[in-house]
Amino acid sequence: MKIKELAMLIHGVVEGDGDADVTGLSGIETSNAGDLIFATDDEKLGFAEKSGASCVLTSKSTRAAMKPLVRVDNPKLAFLLLYNFMNKPAGREAFTDPSATISVSAKVGNNVWIDAGVRIGGNVSIGDNTIIEANAVIKKNCSIGSFCHIHPNVTLYDNVVLKDRVVLHSGVVLGADGFGYVREKDKIYKFPQLGRVIIENDVEIGANSTIDRGSLGDTVVGAGAKIDNLCQIAHNIKIGKNFIMAAQSGISGSVTIKDNVTMGGQVGIRDNVTIGNNAMIGAQSGVLGDLADGSVVWGTPSKSLIQTKREVIVLGWLTDNFIRIKKLLKGKI
Amino acid sequence: MKIKELAMLIHGVVEGDGDADVTGLSGIETSNAGDLIFATDDEKLGFAEKSGASCVLTSKSTRAAMKPLVRVDNPKLAFLLLYNFMNKPAGREAFTDPSATISVSAKVGNNVWIDAGVRIGGNVSIGDNTIIEANAVIKKNCSIGSFCHIHPNVTLYDNVVLKDRVVLHSGVVLGADGFGYVREKDKIYKFPQLGRVIIENDVEIGANSTIDRGSLGDTVVGAGAKIDNLCQIAHNIKIGKNFIMAAQSGISGSVTIKDNVTMGGQVGIRDNVTIGNNAMIGAQSGVLGDLADGSVVWGTPSKSLIQTKREVIVLGWLTDNFIRIKKLLKGKI
Amino acid sequence: MKIKELAMLIHGVVEGDGDADVTGLSGIETSNAGDLIFATDDEKLGFAEKSGASCVLTSKSTRAAMKPLVRVDNPKLAFLLLYNFMNKPAGREAFTDPSATISVSAKVGNNVWIDAGVRIGGNVSIGDNTIIEANAVIKKNCSIGSFCHIHPNVTLYDNVVLKDRVVLHSGVVLGADGFGYVREKDKIYKFPQLGRVIIENDVEIGANSTIDRGSLGDTVVGAGAKIDNLCQIAHNIKIGKNFIMAAQSGISGSVTIKDNVTMGGQVGIRDNVTIGNNAMIGAQSGVLGDLADGSVVWGTPSKSLIQTKREVIVLGWLTDNFIRIKKLLKGKI
């Protein structure tokens, strides 16, 4: 495709030879002749110029360059849209590996791909164009939508619901029993874990993450959530739209997360709290209470990001001046 | 069952129409006519009254209500005991899926359920009434007790011992090599990992948790332990009775945990320390030394809960008064 | 073998009866007659004397003892070298379980062991003497070296490269998509994840750890790295030689880790930083910026180990003296 043609697709402005050909997309480091790459600032544009690439997507505010440029509002977004345009997923035909074990009561849609060693239990339904990869286990009464992609070695316990376009990476476990016990004298009783896990449209869940079923109600992950690897979502959590959860974070039971919440890595949220819309929680925070809409917090226990940053500075200063502070208290200054 | 009949089972006192029928148990949010629910305080009792449920289990100290009540000492415990009474697990018959691969030297007890794709190695023994779900892998010389439940995609390395009524959720890995190396000049040598993992009676282990085999001795988890998802228990750890370990916590090598210890989420314990009986460790703590019996600690490094809470308050106050403190040190106050 | 014979193998000096026989190696607690054990200090030597063992490996600085000793520079290293000498891995013959599903385009080397339920995709190549255990899934275009050991239920996505002698414990997931999205107004777009995961020689990765593929470039783990259980390595990370990463640690995208870096458990590293050669990062640290060669850091945000230790002490002292500090500020002292 010519540079001027692809520029039209992304509403870009060509600077330089728009008739040159682009044959692929790549990163700056790995680019060769024919590749289109992107550079978000002048420093990266410098690397881009030295690369083998034939065309650079960039923003409207970077400098001029020695290679053909296409200027757009958001070069990273334009790059991914171009990528998606050039890589429309090929329609797969229906396939079931003979080593898969599928209950006779399962209902499988059109063009579903079921790979080797997959186990599908009774009364499971699977929507059209869904892919279930090798050795995944789907237990009974699960409902899986269309265009889902379940990677190898995933486990779905009974009654899990996946809506459409849900992606589960390898090792994900949905619907295991929540961590609910009642202690009475010297004995620990397990509380019934009867609810479901419901995953709304367009959710992607990273490798080896775990989401427990609700105890009496359900655990719900709202549409558009992106959950990274090794995350833990406990029983009866309700998560709103477009949740972002970075790796190794965990949420305790019965928490409510409203819409557009963003969470850094290794965050912990205590049980029974509510996180307001658009809240942002810094990495490694420990959240011990409700957060209002629009909160930006950090630290354990979490406080406003500004306050925690101040506390870090103040503690450093007090430590550097510790001898003087001790003297002052002794009346020696 | 009539309300007055089930009240007898749990030593409860009926308040209202004891002749009404109860047909199921549910949570407040999801309850319908015929359901029994529980409400531990007056606020929840208010929600319970507005629900469709026919009967409410409650404590002896809540107010009167518009629905039939059954009053007991511990409504949550009574609810679970009723649930267990109504849901005695059906006796399963023996079953082995033809796609399972079982060594000829394995000894399988009565009424064992072995699902599709399970792999059982040489000299494994499996007690009566145990369930092994799809694609679990049990390597050689493992010993598994009675009434165990091994969920899909679990891995047991060689020589793992499970006593009776052990539940392993999906993705659990028991018996992988401990993290033991010896560094000598520029080379890292792996130390032999020869010990076993031994899991005593009535232990439940959450999804994707990992417990490493002992290096020279064994790693032992005592009876009644409840371990949440994504926990890590390193080599040569000895854990006493009734241990509670919330999600994403980790314990380093050669730690001793005595009886009835409770650990919040995302806790870390350094190697070679001893945690005393009944100790409680707050979420995200980092424990760097021994803890005495009955300790209640929080923070990194962990201190008594009271001390850490005080430090949080003091640092906040010092930060808010930082300008005045600086002035004081300069002699300007 | 006689004590004097094995002493020669490890350049040790015998003290006591060098003609006694050693029949096995064990730990102090579990030792019986005929066993050789090791004791690194006088306290452990005391336990060793009371054990059933026939011979004790110890250092040159411990006291005399009632049992035959072999003195060496590093008893733990000598013990493992002896262990390795006595336990040379038996050459396995080639084996493929009939339940494995192997693409016709896969190239399998000599003496490869492929256990039950393994899935090997198209164009995979597997070097000589590699072991792939039950229910592991190797997707297409992966390249696996010689003498690798892939434990049960591991998943390799497309294009993963393992060099020689790589050990992957159960539940490891290599090559899942990185956590890369572009947010534009109310929509979250997934950024292309096209790179590979490359694991160099002699790397060992613990159970349920995850390493994401690069986005445009590759994710690379250098030779000799030892990665513990439940660790997360995000996309486009470049790791040097002999990296040590304790359990439940995580590294964000595009981080560079130079050679001989050591990381405690539950550490987090923010994205796009560089960690210098020989850096040591204490457990639970949160690293927010570049670290120079030889840095020794601790805390969140991480500072030098000495500074963080000082801050812990100062905060404790200020808290203990809080009332006096408040009085001082009010002019009452």
Side-chain angles (χ1 to χ4, degrees), chain A residues 243-266:
Chain A
F243 179 48
I244 303 278
M245 184 179 193
Q248 296 179 315
S249 287
I251 311 178
S252 305
S254 302
V255 165
T256 299
I257 308 261
K258 300 218 167 156
D259 294 342
N260 299 308
V261 171
T262 301
M263 200 179 277
Q266 298 180 333

Side-chain angles (χ1 to χ4, degrees), chain A residues 41-82:
Chain A
D41 57 35
D42 282 344
E43 190 192 349
K44 290 204 171 132
L45 194 53
F47 295 123
E49 283 183 301
K50 289 174 205 147
S51 76
S54 297
C55 177
V56 186
L57 264 179
T58 190
S59 73
K60 292 181 171 162
S61 60
T62 51
R63 61 171 169 78
M66 308 283 286
K67 282 185 194 285
L69 302 180
V70 178
R71 294 193 186 274
V72 292
D73 288 333
N74 185 339
K76 197 170 176 186
L77 178 62
F79 183 88
L80 84 80
L81 292 174
L82 270 183

Side-chain angles (χ1 to χ4, degrees), chain A residues 68-114:
Chain A
L69 302 180
V70 178
R71 294 193 186 274
V72 292
D73 288 333
N74 185 339
K76 197 170 176 186
L77 178 62
F79 183 88
L80 84 80
L81 292 174
L82 270 183
Y83 175 80
N84 290 344
F85 177 82
M86 289 179 161
N87 292 277
K88 283 179 189 143
R92 293 212 195 206
E93 295 187 9
F95 170 77
T96 301
D97 191 277
S99 67
T101 304
I102 303 176
S103 166
V104 290
S105 62
K107 279 171 234 148
V108 177
N110 297 315
N111 298 322
V112 170
W113 178 279
I114 299 177

Side-chain angles (χ1 to χ4, degrees), chain B residues 102-107 120-123:
Chain B
I102 302 176
S103 165
V104 291
S105 61
K107 279 171 235 149
I120 296 179
N123 295 312

Side-chain angles (χ1 to χ4, degrees), chain B residues 52-103:
Chain B
S54 297
C55 177
V56 186
L57 263 179
T58 190
S59 74
K60 291 180 173 163
S61 60
T62 51
R63 61 172 169 76
M66 308 282 287
K67 282 185 194 285
L69 302 179
V70 177
R71 293 194 186 275
V72 293
D73 287 334
N74 185 340
K76 197 170 176 187
L77 178 61
F79 182 88
L80 86 80
L81 293 174
L82 269 181
Y83 175 81
N84 290 344
F85 178 82
M86 289 179 161
N87 293 277
K88 283 180 188 142
R92 293 210 196 208
E93 294 186 10
F95 170 77
T96 300
D97 191 277
S99 67
T101 303
I102 302 176
S103 165

Side-chain angles (χ1 to χ4, degrees), chain C residues 11-276:
Chain C
H11 308 292
V13 177
V14 179
E15 203 171 299
D17 178 9
D19 288 313
D21 282 326
V22 165
T23 55
L25 273 60
S26 92
I28 292 176
E29 308 163 47
T30 55
S31 58
N32 296 310
D35 284 350
L36 174 139
I37 59 182
F38 76 95
T40 47
D41 56 36
D42 283 345
E43 189 192 350
K44 288 201 171 135
L45 194 54
F47 295 124
E49 282 182 302
K50 289 174 204 146
S51 76
S54 297
C55 179
V56 186
L57 264 181
T58 190
S59 73
K60 291 182 172 162
S61 59
T62 51
R63 61 172 169 76
M66 308 282 289
K67 282 185 193 286
L69 301 180
V70 177
R71 295 195 185 273
V72 293
D73 288 333
N74 185 340
K76 196 170 177 187
L77 178 62
F79 182 89
L80 84 80
L81 292 174
L82 270 182
Y83 176 81
N84 290 344
F85 178 82
M86 289 178 161
N87 294 276
K88 283 178 189 144
R92 295 210 195 208
E93 294 187 9
F95 170 77
T96 301
D97 191 277
S99 67
T101 303
I102 303 175
S103 166
V104 291
S105 61
K107 278 172 235 149
V108 176
N110 297 316
N111 299 321
V112 171
W113 178 279
I114 299 177
D115 210 332
V118 167
R119 171 81 176 103
I120 296 179
N123 295 313
V124 168
S125 69
I126 302 175
D128 297 346
N129 300 297
T130 280
I131 298 168
I132 303 181
E133 295 211 49
N135 292 346
V137 177
I138 317 289
K139 294 183 65 179
K140 66 179 191 294
N141 302 323
C142 287
S143 165
I144 299 175
S146 301
F147 288 101
C148 291
H149 191 159
I150 297 178
H151 284 271
N153 287 320
V154 164
T155 304
L156 269 53
Y157 281 56
D158 297 346
N159 302 312
V160 171
V161 176
L162 306 184
K163 300 289 175 68
D164 297 333
R165 298 174 302 280
V166 171
V167 177
L168 305 181
H169 286 283
S170 287
V172 162
V173 179
L174 301 187
D177 290 351
F179 196 66
Y181 301 93
V182 178
R183 199 165 197 151
E184 176 77 7
K185 289 163 194 162
D186 220 28
K187 205 160 149 52
I188 301 173
Y189 296 85
K190 177 167 176 143
F191 196 79
Q193 303 294 323
L194 310 173
R196 296 174 297 170
V197 168
I198 298 173
I199 309 289
E200 300 287 351
N201 291 336
D202 300 300
V203 171
E204 180 164 8
I205 302 179
N208 286 345
S209 286
T210 57
I211 303 183
D212 288 345
R213 67 195 300 190
S215 169
L216 298 174
D218 296 323
T219 303
V220 181
V221 177
K226 310 300 176 189
I227 297 170
D228 203 349
N229 298 347
L230 293 165
C231 287
Q232 152 72 353
I233 294 179
H235 51 179
N236 294 87
I237 290 172
K238 312 289 183 196
I239 296 176
K241 286 184 192 165
N242 290 336
F243 178 48
I244 303 277
M245 185 181 194
Q248 297 179 313
S249 286
I251 311 178
S252 306
S254 302
V255 165
T256 299
I257 308 260
K258 301 219 167 155
D259 294 342
N260 300 306
V261 171
T262 302
M263 201 179 277
Q266 300 180 333
V267 167
I269 311 278
R270 72 158 291 165
D271 55 303
N272 285 294
V273 303
T274 296
I275 309 298

